[in-house]
Amino acid sequence: YLKYMRAVHQRGPAAFPGLFVEFNGNPEAWIYPPPNRIGFVVVSALWAGLFGAELTALQGLSFAAHLLGALVNYLFARRHLGEPRALCFGVLWSFSPLLMGLSRLALTDSFTATCTSLSVWLLLEVVEAPASRVRRVLFMAAFAFTVLVKEQAVLLAVPFAAFVLLERLGRRTPLPLSTMALTLALPGVAAAAIMALAAGGMGVLVETSRAMLQSPATNEYATKYCSGPWFRYLIDYLCLSPGPTLLAIGFAGVLVRRLRSGSYDRTLVLMGLIAVLFLFEFSFFIKSVRYAVVLELPIRIFAVCMVCEILETRKRVLSALLCGGAVAVLCWLDWRTFDLY
């Protein structure tokens, strides 16, 4: 990423075709990130104009993205979950050992987590106001940019589509299916077109994609440490953040029970679909907990909801204090885990 940042900072977008050709022509480079992550590379190049094209600047970008992610998630959660759950969720997100660790690295993951979260919340906004063109445009722009930041984000289209179909066919929400299909498809198409333009042609981009798919087989670290069954991610999260993960699993059961009884919460159903379908999709690929950073969103929300479920009383202020105290303990435990490793 440092190489890409310096090249684009110095030569602008004209540097991209050469980066693609260099990457495709050197199989030894295939174990490293590809240059098609244009969204992150362009932002990092702009960031370099402010803070220099150095490794520490990339680390600073990751930390800034982590802080921005906490703010974005809190603001949207406040609209859809209310207080004190939104505040508890924002704080618990900030203290995630995985996210805190990634915020110190010169990688895309913190930036990806923020962009992914924004796409998820904006889809929820679209479903709640299907007639709003502004919301649809904002969602499509955010989703397309997220795919440009990290191509794996295109897999979000599956839980997004499942959620739209559930709302339309199961809940009878007045969602025009043809319009929503375009809303979900156009971001991926636009991102692919921008990638092809940057690469210098669709053939070059296809060659890069082929190299990305082949690279795990040539990466000794990936073959040794990035394999396992579908529940590998659950084990990773239980090791990294046992308290929130166990609470989230418990609340998943509460959510299923409520759905069976006819109680439906749009926000929580979307988070559940993302968790289940993302685990399914990523079961077919190499497994690194960094790749499934989007799971932080449903895990942290479900954990807060479970805490509130357990400690809720008839007195609102007392409930808020109890939930806040429990989340503070979870944050302390997560901080201990982060500090340990």
Side-chain angles (χ1 to χ4, degrees), residues 28-86:
E28 293 183 358
W30 294 356
I31 64 173
Y32 300 108
N36 65 330
R37 294 170 183 176
I38 297 165
F40 179 76
V41 175
V42 169
V43 171
S44 68
L46 295 173
W47 186 266
L50 298 173
F51 302 101
E54 303 296 335
L55 191 64
T56 52
L58 274 176
Q59 291 174 310
L61 178 57
S62 288
F63 183 66
H66 177 56
L67 296 180
L68 180 61
L71 178 61
V72 166
N73 277 304
Y74 165 68
L75 293 176
F76 277 103
R78 190 176 182 181
R79 285 173 55 85
H80 297 283
L81 298 175
E83 296 287 10
R85 295 188 181 194

Side-chain angles (χ1 to χ4, degrees), residues 112-155:
T112 302
T114 298
C115 294
T116 300
S117 298
L118 182 60
S119 296
V120 171
W121 290 117
L122 286 175
L123 176 67
L124 197 59
E125 295 282 334
V126 170
V127 172
E128 292 195 344
S132 174
R133 293 183 179 179
V134 173
R135 293 191 182 192
R136 286 204 304 272
V137 170
L138 288 175
F139 164 73
M140 288 190 290
F143 191 23
F145 183 72
T146 303
V147 176
L148 287 172
V149 168
K150 197 164 187 178
E151 65 288 336
Q152 293 168 339
V154 75
L155 296 175

Side-chain angles (χ1 to χ4, degrees), residues 188-206:
V189 173
I194 294 172
M195 289 181 191
L197 182 64
M202 184 58 73
V204 179
L205 180 61
V206 170

